[in-house]
Amino acid sequence: MVIKVGIGYDVHALVEGRPLILGGVEIPYDRGLLGHSDADVLIHAIMDSLLGALALGDIGAHFPDHDPRYRGISSIQAQGYRIGNMDSIIVAERPKLAPFIPQMRVNLARVMNLDETRVSVKATTTERLGFAGREEGIAAQAIVSLESFGG
Ligand SMILES: [Zn+2]
């Protein structure tokens, strides 16, 4: 079996007048992420990790509108790989994300066709340091493993 891994990273600015959507979950907050569509920074980081594992560039190259949604999943399967597991970190000073992480894992496991035990979402702050600490934006990092199948 061939194993490949990929990493992804994304940042969006926090602005007023936008919903905050992370991992497909709308989170009650007075600000949201700026960008096309829902600007779901976690989904974008995951998509970049999937593309990276196959050395296919980044979502900017594939989806110029920066709204990849989950379309990249089919390209992974078309190349003879399936996702082994995914781990991720959301970097946000506020709001507290722990109550919403279980639903994010449910959403992500469904779209990636994985058991939830293979889908990890964590959240951290930067102790008020940097753009995330100043609440100017939210970042997300993701790493995935892909396993070859079908010989
Ligand atoms: Zn993005």
Side-chain angles (χ1 to χ4, degrees), residues 30-86:
D30 60 358
R31 287 176 290 165
L33 295 174
L34 182 63
H36 288 283
S37 186
D38 57 12
D40 191 325
V41 70
L42 178 57
I43 298 286
H44 293 174
I46 293 169
M47 290 304 311
D48 254 7
S49 70
L50 291 166
L51 293 169
L54 296 174
L56 290 174
D58 61 32
I59 55 176
H62 288 263
F63 310 105
D65 63 355
H66 209 71
D67 180 24
R69 294 287 176 165
Y70 316 116
R71 282 176 280 172
I73 305 291
S74 56
S75 67
I76 274 72
Q77 289 165 345
Q79 297 216 13
Y81 287 87
R82 64 185 167 218
I83 300 167
N85 74 304
M86 188 284 296

Side-chain angles (χ1 to χ4, degrees), residues 27 93-100 125:
I27 294 163
E93 195 67 33
R94 287 193 304 164
K96 285 293 176 203
L97 298 176
F100 305 100
T125 72

Side-chain angles (χ1 to χ4, degrees), residues 117-138:
T117 59
R118 293 169 179 252
V119 176
S120 170
V121 178
K122 309 186 297 294
T124 189
T125 72
T126 56
E127 303 290 343
R128 307 209 67 81
L129 297 170
F131 69 85
R134 293 188 298 267
E135 301 178 45
E136 296 168 356
I138 290 178

